[in-house]
Amino acid sequence: MSTEINNIIVEKAKTSKIDQVDFDNLKFGSVFTDHMLVCDYKNGSWQTPKIVPYQPITLDPSSKIFHYGQSIFEGMKAYKDDQGDIFLFRPLDNYKRLNISAKRMAIPELPEDYFMEGLTTLLKLDHDFIPTNDGSSLYIRPFIFASGNGFHASPADEYKFIIACAPSGSYFSGKVKVLIEQTYSRSANGGVGYAKAGGNYAGQFYPTQLAIDKGYNQVIWTDDTDHKYIEEAGAMNIFIRINDTLITGPTSDRILDGITRKSILEIAKDNGIPTEVRKITVAEVVDAAKNGTLKEMFGAGTAAVISPIAGFGYNETDFDLPELTDSYATKLKKLITDIQYNKSEDPYGWRFKVTE
Ligand code: PLP
Ligand code: COI
């Protein structure tokens, strides 16, 4: 039996899987909530969204997603405070970025209310799955892919927008050791690096595996022209502290405009941390590591929050970063997560309450 809430057809799961979730030992993105939102695009428009029990999808073998990789996604989190209230962080920025990605990948743009009403209705239904343990949250994965059929290499005529949610713990366990990439590239000028396109991640797996085989956790991507500039860290934007200045590269065709990145820049400025948004060369970072002025490096992203980098490899040499008592990563992580989990004031208006 189905009902309708906010113009969304809702078919509730007959039984809940909540008892199968071990909230004290949550991994990242590996168990899912009872429901998912599904909305089809066909005959030139997005159809009525539906919330249905979480389930597999059946697709024709000629679906264009399988052949031409027309697929985009977002990464968000829902947080629950001590009162049981649910919050999102800058959700409209994710919505806007989804449509930026959609445009680049020739996918039809999604109306705002389908995204926001769909997401908030789903969260209210699955609210028991939002963890309250420290550092845990409900990871939200909105995505769109080409479900239309045919081997012709052209945009599909049908798509699916889905939101799936996973109660999750931290993305990395422990500190991260990175390898500065000198051969492969994640993105190029005029390419799709600024979009959250599925293929951007597939293209990273092989070079990242090579780095893992050498004992690193992640690759630091450099520019595709001559691997001279530091760009991104896997699925995170990268911050580098030299002396007391926090530096991150400017966004471009090649770099994702991260919501955590831009939030951290604002929080840092407002908390007396000098920041610079400028191109930063690998040579500058290596020199700073050698002369002791390189204090910290950390990755920033929704899944990884702020992940301190313990050391990096470059040209077959490993450089360790010092353990600091006044770490910017620690300070900024507390400031941003206190806003996200409703533990502090939010002077920026970033917190979005999902009202009952
Ligand atoms: N860079 C890449 C390539 C990413 O996949 C992500 C994750 O979403 C980020 C940066 C960080 O972006 P955000 O802070 O919006 O999650
Ligand atoms: C996120 O931080 O939400 C991401 O999308 C990264 C993901 C590839 C794990």
Side-chain angles (χ1 to χ4, degrees):
M1 205 198 69
S2 55
T3 49
E4 211 177 299
I5 310 172
N6 302 329
N7 300 320
I8 299 166
I9 299 164
V10 178
E11 185 201 328
K12 284 196 182 165
K14 291 199 175 62
T15 53
S16 176
K17 297 177 296 189
I18 191 115
D19 292 343
Q20 297 166 25
V21 181
D22 181 358
F23 283 96
D24 293 326
N25 293 294
L26 285 174
K27 298 195 183 77
F28 176 82
S30 54
V31 288
F32 304 94
T33 63
D34 284 340
H35 301 93
M36 63 189 200
L37 180 112
V38 183
C39 181
D40 289 316
Y41 179 92
K42 56 183 171 193
N43 304 322
S45 60
W46 287 102
Q47 308 292 304
T48 306
K50 290 182 197 151
I51 290 178
V52 294
Y54 188 90
Q55 60 192 276
I57 313 159
T58 304
L59 291 172
D60 191 274
S62 78
S63 285
K64 294 204 181 192
I65 173 63
F66 297 135
H67 307 277
Y68 306 120
Q70 232 189 330
S71 104
I72 55 170
F73 70 96
E74 270 304 318
M76 314 169 69
K77 281 177 172 171
Y79 310 90
K80 202 181 254 182
D81 73 2
D82 294 343
Q83 278 76 52
D85 286 324
I86 305 165
F87 298 91
L88 293 163
F89 185 70
R90 308 185 77 170
L92 282 173
D93 292 48
N94 291 96
Y95 164 70
K96 288 181 194 145
R97 195 171 61 188
L98 183 73
N99 276 347
I100 290 171
S101 302
K103 191 170 178 192
R104 181 63 182 85
M105 301 304 285
I107 290 173
E109 290 176 34
L110 188 78
E112 184 181 313
D113 54 335
Y114 282 45
F115 185 90
M116 290 305 296
E117 293 294 342
L119 176 56
T120 51
T121 309
L122 180 64
L123 288 177
K124 285 178 204 165
L125 206 58
D126 279 347
H127 66 92
D128 284 344
F129 284 84
I130 305 175
T132 48
N133 317 32
D134 235 15
S136 298
S137 57
L138 187 76
Y139 186 73
I140 304 165
R141 178 51 66 83
F143 59 106
I144 307 179
F145 66 90
S147 51
N149 302 337
F151 292 148
H152 197 277
S154 51
D157 57 356
E158 293 189 3
Y159 296 85
K160 272 187 193 295
F161 167 56
I162 296 183
I163 306 180
C165 303
S168 293
S170 47
Y171 192 73
F172 290 111
S173 49
K175 282 202 170 184
V176 182
K177 211 178 141 196
V178 296
L179 179 67
I180 298 184
E181 182 61 54
Q182 296 178 270
T183 306
Y184 297 96
S185 299
R186 172 189 173 271
S187 56
N189 287 329
V192 299
Y194 69 91
K196 272 184 87 75
N200 282 342
Y201 299 81
Q204 298 189 55
F205 292 163
Y206 175 64
T208 304
Q209 188 54 50
L210 295 179
I212 291 170
D213 292 345
K214 289 184 181 169
Y216 302 94
N217 310 89
Q218 266 292 349
V219 165
I220 298 283
W221 297 104
T222 47
D223 66 285
D224 60 303
T225 314
D226 45 20
H227 301 286
K228 202 170 139 193
Y229 295 98
I230 302 274
E231 302 226 307
E232 273 195 276
M236 302 178 287
N237 293 109
I238 184 156
F239 284 83
I240 294 166
R241 173 180 174 183
I242 295 183
N243 288 318
D244 284 336
T245 303
L246 191 61
I247 310 163
T248 191
T251 53
S252 70
D253 271 10
R254 303 184 304 271
I255 298 181
L256 193 82
D257 185 3
I259 295 161
T260 318
R261 172 188 172 280
K262 64 183 178 189
S263 308
I264 284 174
L265 279 172
E266 249 183 279
I267 295 174
K269 277 184 217 153
D270 293 347
N271 284 275
I273 296 178
T275 58
E276 282 178 13
V277 176
R278 64 164 171 88
K279 286 177 143 198
I280 179 157
T281 62
V282 178
E284 185 181 351
V285 175
V286 171
D287 283 350
K290 285 181 180 160
N291 68 27
T293 55
L294 180 67
K295 298 277 173 60
E296 287 182 80
M297 289 168 72
F298 58 85
T302 300
V305 195
I306 290 185
S307 291
I309 292 171
F312 70 91
Y314 182 67
N315 265 348
E316 307 297 324
T317 308
D318 278 342
F319 298 87
D320 290 329
L321 278 104
E323 292 272 349
L324 299 180
T325 47
D326 69 334
S327 147
Y328 284 171
T330 309
K331 182 173 178 176
L332 291 166
K333 183 172 178 182
K334 174 149 175 49
L335 287 166
I336 194 168
T337 53
D338 278 358
I339 295 177
Q340 291 167 332
Y341 285 86
N342 193 30
K343 289 185 180 165
S344 68
E345 288 301 309
D346 171 18
Y348 309 100
W350 290 337
R351 200 161 50 217
F352 177 97
K353 188 170 180 184
V354 180
T355 44
E356 282 302 317

